[in-house]
Amino acid sequence: DSHIQYERVGADVTMKCGSMDWDAAVTWTANGTDIDESHLNGSYLILKNVDLTQSGQYSCYEGSSWHLKYQTYLRVGTPPKEPVLMCRSNNYPKGFYCSWHLPTPTYIPNSFNISVIHGTREMVCEKDVFPKNRCHIRYVQLFSTVKYKVTLTVTNALGKSSTTLTFDEFAIVKPDPPESVVAKPVPNNPRRLEVSWQNPSSWPDPESFPLKFFLRYRPLILDQWQHVELSDGTSHTITDAYAGKEYIIQVAAKDNDIGTWSDWSVAVHATPWTEEPKHLTTEAQITETTSASTSSFMPPPTTKICDKGAVVGSGAVAVCWTAGLVLAAYGVLFI
Amino acid sequence: MAAADSPSAALRRRDLCSRGIRLAGKMRSDVIDLLDTYVEQQGLDASASVAAVEGVPAAAAERWDEQTGPQRLLENLAAYRAFRALLAQMLEEQREQLGEADAAVGRALAAILLQVSAFAYHLEELLRLESRGVPSEEGAAPPPPPHLSLFERKLRGLGVLRELAQWAVRSARDLRQLAKPSPGSGAAPSPAESP
């Protein structure tokens, strides 16, 4: 009959051919392929310093009759190393979840057992269907100073290992990042960008447990971020954007009072509003057109200069006037 | 006395709640600052786990989301009255200790004691607004200070401050629940919370 055999990487394995005597004539196969006699000691199969590639089905047949006498599935693996465990509450005050993984694979099946103790109370962590290595707990008590102690034990056929996490209720609170971040230019405002977002949908009660936010933004061409912390509201207007530059913007969230900041939201890109040129003309055509249109050189909007190509309008005239007056005044001074 | 549902009462409630929330926030940050100093000054281990201290109201609450408005107010009031007595005791003990560093702790304790008193007053006002009688303090005289060694008193002080910091967080949440516009008289639990 067939069964499974687990062995450590590097171990020496001896397989007996069922109840056959040591001196019986047998043939061993590995995944259907005959094994050379040099690996045999009598009817025993000797595998030295096994590695992962030697996992497979091993069968032993009686010499002449080719009756199958023994079959086993060899699985080479390792005992579990200390697992990595983390617990977090992204849906405070409903509860928290713990998730875990092994730092290195064992190559054989593992089972996980998690225990959660709060003071004298043992709590049940309900395993999630997906993802697999995760369980969640509903808070029975809130605002407790008593710490939670979570112990995860990993066991497989070759050994076991465990790790323990101790924390208090407030420390593990970390919301999910804000959702639906939108950044838009503001018409007629070349230095502004309007950003809005929503509370993460996993946060159950933003009214009683309000979130505060952290916004960061920078033009794509620079490395340094600007930061703004916002204690309420889910929108903000950036007023110091560089004109015409594309920006990258992200938002993070945190409970107003406790816990840590969320990861950054998905990044959004936006470019502030820029004035549309009246004609999309080439250099050659500019010299042919008459004065009424703007030139292809666009002066920065805040500093209207008085030049030949300037738009004739009351504002520009006033500036020209002012400049003229200043020049005249200087002229007077130097007479 | 304005009826609990009248517009002026609702406004006053919101006003008291938002001021209370701000006060709770300030209280918490001051207590946390004091905790750091206290631990250092008293030569304690910050990670010391202090078992539930007798006479210190625990902030921990089961089924917190199911509590009614009046319940929240009464529990908070009982707690802050107890803290008022406990902090006064600590202040007294602090004065007996000498030293410049202790004077700073003493001042911080006195400031927090004032905030606790102010907060208790807010709660009493909110209770009156709910047309609820404010429980008298006569029956609830603070128990005589237990006879403790100096070290035990230090640990007790740590427990008091830690629990007060927890309460400050809870109270802000309680007041936000109270500030929510409630259907009916507020005697029924808010239907918005699903268990």
Side-chain angles (χ1 to χ4, degrees):
Chain A
D1 64 327
S2 174
H3 68 301
I4 302 178
Q5 188 171 347
Y6 295 99
E7 300 288 345
R8 279 184 196 226
V9 170
D12 295 337
V13 181
T14 301
M15 284 189 203
K16 292 188 189 173
C17 187
S19 55
M20 300 288 280
D21 292 334
W22 175 81
D23 55 1
V26 298
T27 306
W28 282 93
T29 64
N31 294 328
T33 309
D34 285 11
I35 299 176
D36 188 69
E37 274 184 16
S38 60
H39 291 107
L40 270 65
N41 175 359
S43 65
Y44 298 171
L45 174 63
I46 314 289
L47 299 169
K48 285 199 178 291
N49 191 20
V50 291
D51 62 43
L52 296 169
T53 61
Q54 289 172 289
S55 295
Q57 190 171 70
Y58 289 80
S59 311
C60 177
Y61 300 90
E62 188 180 11
S64 45
S65 64
W66 276 93
H67 281 144
L68 177 65
K69 286 295 177 182
Y70 177 76
Q71 196 167 64
T72 186
Y73 202 95
L74 176 67
R75 299 215 40 190
V76 181
T78 62
K81 292 219 165 84
E82 188 179 333
V84 177
L85 174 67
M86 79 89 139
C87 297
R88 182 180 153 215
S89 175
N90 65 339
N91 62 344
Y92 190 77
K94 284 226 172 108
F96 65 92
Y97 71 85
C98 293
S99 76
W100 56 87
H101 66 271
L102 287 169
T104 52
T106 60
Y107 304 99
I108 59 176
N110 306 298
S111 71
F112 297 89
N113 186 38
I114 191 160
S115 88
V116 181
I117 298 177
H118 184 220
T120 52
R121 199 195 312 233
E122 171 127 23
M123 302 175 77
V124 175
C125 197
E126 291 180 37
K127 292 226 168 125
D128 288 348
V129 174
F130 187 80
K132 251 184 4 171
N133 291 354
R134 196 157 129 160
C135 69
H136 61 272
I137 284 207
R138 308 193 113 252
Y139 277 125
V140 172
Q141 245 188 17
L142 284 177
F143 312 111
S144 170
T145 44
V146 175
K147 289 190 194 273
Y148 290 81
K149 187 166 144 178
V150 181
T151 303
L152 175 74
T153 308
V154 190
T155 311
N156 69 20
L158 300 174
K160 68 197 238 184
S161 179
S162 69
T163 188
T164 300
L165 217 56
T166 308
F167 53 84
D168 62 54
E169 184 189 310
F170 292 172
I172 59 165
V173 176
K174 177 180 169 178
D176 286 329
E179 292 172 8
S180 311
V181 183
V182 174
K184 289 194 293 211
V186 178
N188 302 304
N189 271 289
R191 302 204 65 192
R192 289 185 178 221
L193 285 168
E194 222 167 58
V195 190
S196 67
W197 58 89
Q198 282 173 11
N199 288 315
S201 49
S202 51
W203 197 252
D205 188 3
E207 233 184 286
S208 308
F209 296 82
L211 294 170
K212 61 182 177 184
F213 301 97
F214 212 74
L215 190 95
R216 71 175 184 180
Y217 58 97
R218 65 173 171 85
L220 282 181
I221 52 173
L222 294 179
D223 286 330
Q224 206 166 25
W225 294 94
Q226 300 272 79
H227 292 104
V228 183
E229 187 169 326
L230 302 152
S231 54
D232 57 23
T234 52
S235 64
H236 175 72
T237 303
I238 295 167
T239 55
D240 62 350
Y242 291 114
K245 301 293 176 224
E246 187 180 348
Y247 270 77
I248 178 168
I249 299 150
Q250 287 179 297
V251 193
K254 179 183 169 306
D255 176 272
N256 226 359
D257 303 314
I258 63 179
T260 59
W261 287 98
S262 72
D263 291 340
W264 289 106
S265 70
V266 169
V268 294
H269 293 239
T271 307
W273 173 91
T274 49
E275 188 173 346
E276 289 249 342
K278 292 249 164 53
H279 287 282
L280 290 169
T281 52
T282 60
E283 288 277 307
Q285 284 174 286
I286 281 294
T287 50
E288 288 169 20
T289 54
T290 47
S291 63
S293 46
T294 39
S295 63
S296 58
F297 161 66
M298 267 198 308
T302 46
T303 54
K304 276 202 157 46
I305 51 171
C306 196
D307 73 0
K308 284 179 257 188
V311 176
V312 174
S314 58
V317 169
V319 173
C320 287
W321 248 112
T322 318
L325 274 173
V326 169
L327 287 167
Y330 266 110
V332 166
L333 275 175
F334 285 113
I335 287 171
Chain B
M1 183 149 44
D5 294 345
S6 79
S8 65
L11 265 170
R12 176 118 177 94
R13 181 194 298 121
R14 257 217 334 264
D15 181 48
L16 281 166
C17 283
S18 58
R19 278 195 276 146
I21 290 166
R22 277 199 299 277
L23 182 53
K26 173 95 176 58
M27 227 180 348
R28 179 176 186 234
S29 100
D30 285 356
V31 171
I32 287 178
D33 287 344
L34 175 54
L35 262 167
D36 290 338
T37 316
Y38 187 86
V39 161
E40 206 185 298
Q41 188 225 34
Q42 304 285 10
L44 295 167
D45 178 4
S47 63
S49 179
V50 184
V53 187
E54 202 187 306
V56 177
E62 306 216 353
R63 299 198 158 132
W64 173 86
D65 53 338
E66 293 171 22
Q67 286 191 340
T68 64
Q71 239 177 315
R72 294 177 194 282
L73 288 170
L74 288 166
E75 278 192 32
N76 271 268
L77 184 58
Y80 285 92
R81 281 177 171 173
F83 279 117
R84 200 162 53 193
L86 287 162
L87 287 169
Q89 226 170 65
M90 279 174 72
L91 204 51
E92 201 51 53
E93 289 163 6
Q94 199 68 22
R95 284 181 184 137
E96 289 165 14
Q97 289 180 306
L98 304 160
E100 195 40 56
D102 302 333
V105 168
R107 278 195 297 273
L109 269 171
I112 290 169
L113 177 52
L114 263 174
Q115 290 170 8
V116 166
S117 302
F119 196 75
Y121 166 76
H122 272 77
L123 295 167
E124 286 168 1
E125 283 299 298
L126 279 162
L127 270 166
R128 284 189 193 105
L129 219 49
E130 301 286 322
S131 306
R132 293 268 171 159
V134 178
S136 78
E137 290 193 69
E138 279 183 25
H147 188 70
L148 299 170
S149 71
L150 178 61
F151 183 67
E152 284 167 326
R153 271 188 269 151
K154 289 181 184 185
L155 276 187
R156 187 178 163 79
L158 184 63
V160 169
L161 291 173
R162 276 198 186 148
E163 212 58 50
L164 179 56
Q166 283 311 89
W167 263 106
V169 175
R170 174 176 162 181
S171 301
R173 318 283 194 190
D174 278 320
L175 291 179
R176 284 197 193 102
Q177 292 283 48
L178 261 145
K180 276 184 182 170
S182 64
S185 62
S190 163
E193 297 303 308
S194 54

